[in-house]
Amino acid sequence: MLRTTLATFALMGGLVQHLAAEPNPAPRIAWHGNLAEGLAEARQSGRPILLVSGAPACLGIPGVW
Amino acid sequence: MQPAVVAASRNFVCIRLLTYENKSEYDFMEGLLGVSPGTLPNTVFCILAPDGKTQLVRAGRGPRHGFSGARSMADGLRRIALRYPARTGQARPLPLVRPVDLALNVAASDNRPLIVTVASDPRQLAVLQQQVQQLAWNPRFIGQFIYSSTQRQAALKPLAGAEPDAAILIVEPGAFGITGKVVAQLTLPTSPATMATAFTAALDAFVPSRKDHNRHIEMGYQLGIEWTTVVPESDRQSVRAKARFKARFQSRR
């Protein structure tokens, strides 16, 4: 379970920054933050969808995934 | 993030939902996972066809049930993308997080600057978003900023230094993402070149903060900061962990 969660956070781009400083800017995924707009783009463009979800708060504290 | 995964992601529409911040999105993810109502875990991963319904990689809590690691995931994404070539000539929309306070929290969590477009007139806001959109997908800027947009001046309250006539704000998020500092702002009229210059300067000046996860959480408790989600958190493990952490913290005070 922990490995799954860590893998998801790493995918979301949240884990790496907490462990070490990154070169600025490291390449990053450009995420839609809105389902309806993301689905609309997928339908129009014919692109498949990489979908993840996470909470921008850990143990109720914001500012971390 | 592995560069190969990031590179492969460019052929996808990448959607990152905020698990407990929108009820209809919450319901959508429950449907993907096939879990009982009110039991959505705090992370979800899935790859879908462009129809938004067909699961190409079955939904789960994370990518590990579909891929053995970053290389496997990059290869898998490339294979899927070959089956779904994008229609060319379509401008990609500005990837927005709304509302502004939530976008500020996401920017803090990602450790990235936030760009907010502001206009009370919806048509003017749409024009602004179009201008920013062209830069958002420029190789120099892709994925580097979090974007939000608002018609309401009141939504800018957490952003110190925001001027009432600003149309585009570039914001450095505070550590907890509940406040932010405006580091640059543009008024209208502006031009793509002016915006690009401002974005480049902001990106060059931005220093991602070093956050120790546990220390950050402890500091949050000490400062009395707590994030309230729109939908009650339903990940039982996470809810139990939060209760344990709170009890431990309070017993030490």
Side-chain angles (χ1 to χ4, degrees):
Chain A
M1 180 62 73
L2 178 63
R3 285 182 66 198
T4 302
T5 304
L6 288 175
T8 307
F9 288 172
L11 175 65
M12 286 166 32
L15 180 65
V16 177
Q17 299 112 29
H18 301 134
L19 301 178
E22 285 183 69
N24 186 16
R28 290 170 178 277
I29 293 177
W31 296 108
H32 278 280
N34 176 288
L35 180 64
E37 288 166 7
L39 292 180
E41 193 205 342
R43 278 193 297 272
Q44 284 168 7
S45 69
R47 287 187 169 91
I49 300 163
L50 170 61
L51 184 137
V52 302
S53 179
C58 184
L59 302 177
I61 305 299
V64 283
W65 293 106
Chain B
M1 175 63 59
Q2 290 290 324
V5 174
V6 177
S9 79
R10 301 292 189 236
N11 294 314
F12 284 68
V13 173
C14 301
I15 305 175
R16 181 177 60 185
L17 302 180
L18 304 166
T19 310
Y20 303 118
E21 303 298 341
N22 180 303
K23 181 65 170 77
S24 64
E25 292 179 352
Y26 179 102
D27 293 342
F28 177 84
M29 289 184 282
E30 279 194 336
L32 284 181
L33 280 173
V35 296
S36 304
T39 63
L40 185 69
N42 62 7
T43 61
V44 177
F45 174 91
C46 188
I47 295 182
L48 295 165
D51 64 7
K53 295 173 185 160
T54 309
Q55 296 193 16
L56 303 176
V57 173
R58 186 171 51 84
R61 287 211 55 174
R64 286 192 184 275
H65 71 275
F67 306 106
S68 60
R71 184 177 295 178
S72 150
M73 183 168 171
D75 290 344
L77 293 179
R78 279 192 292 267
R79 277 196 299 274
I80 290 169
L82 287 174
R83 288 161 53 197
Y84 297 95
R87 295 179 196 109
T88 52
Q90 304 241 354
R92 303 196 74 166
L94 184 63
L96 291 165
V97 180
R98 295 192 195 90
V100 172
D101 59 348
L102 189 54
L104 186 59
N105 182 5
V106 169
S109 301
D110 270 353
N111 229 335
R112 303 308 305 158
L114 168 70
I115 291 178
V116 185
T117 48
V118 191
S120 57
D121 176 43
R123 284 166 302 183
Q124 192 176 47
L125 191 59
V127 171
L128 265 176
Q129 287 172 359
Q130 266 182 358
Q131 290 177 324
V132 174
Q133 164 197 336
Q134 288 165 17
L135 291 176
W137 295 101
N138 179 300
R140 173 81 175 91
F141 302 119
I142 186 168
Q144 297 301 327
F145 295 99
I146 305 301
Y147 298 94
S148 192
S149 190
T150 187
Q151 290 177 251
R152 297 172 47 248
Q153 280 290 325
L156 309 179
K157 206 174 163 188
L159 311 180
E163 300 288 345
D165 59 344
I168 299 173
L169 300 165
I170 306 177
V171 178
E172 184 180 301
F176 294 96
I178 52 174
T179 58
K181 183 175 76 179
V182 175
V183 293
Q185 46 199 317
L186 301 174
T187 53
L188 295 178
T190 187
S191 68
T194 304
M195 283 192 281
T197 302
F199 289 12
T200 301
L203 206 53
D204 290 346
F206 184 76
V207 179
S209 63
R210 281 178 174 271
K211 281 186 194 174
D212 177 278
H213 196 87
N214 291 342
R215 210 175 308 148
H216 178 86
I217 290 165
E218 187 138 339
M219 181 66 77
Y221 275 102
Q222 282 171 6
L223 295 172
I225 294 167
E226 185 161 2
W227 184 260
T228 305
T229 56
V230 172
V231 181
E233 191 173 358
S234 56
D235 187 309
R236 277 181 290 181
Q237 271 197 326
S238 176
V239 170
R240 279 199 297 264
K242 184 174 163 184
R244 273 199 310 272
F245 192 91
K246 263 187 161 177
R248 207 168 62 219
F249 179 76
Q250 280 161 359
S251 72
R252 289 205 314 249
R253 297 189 91 181

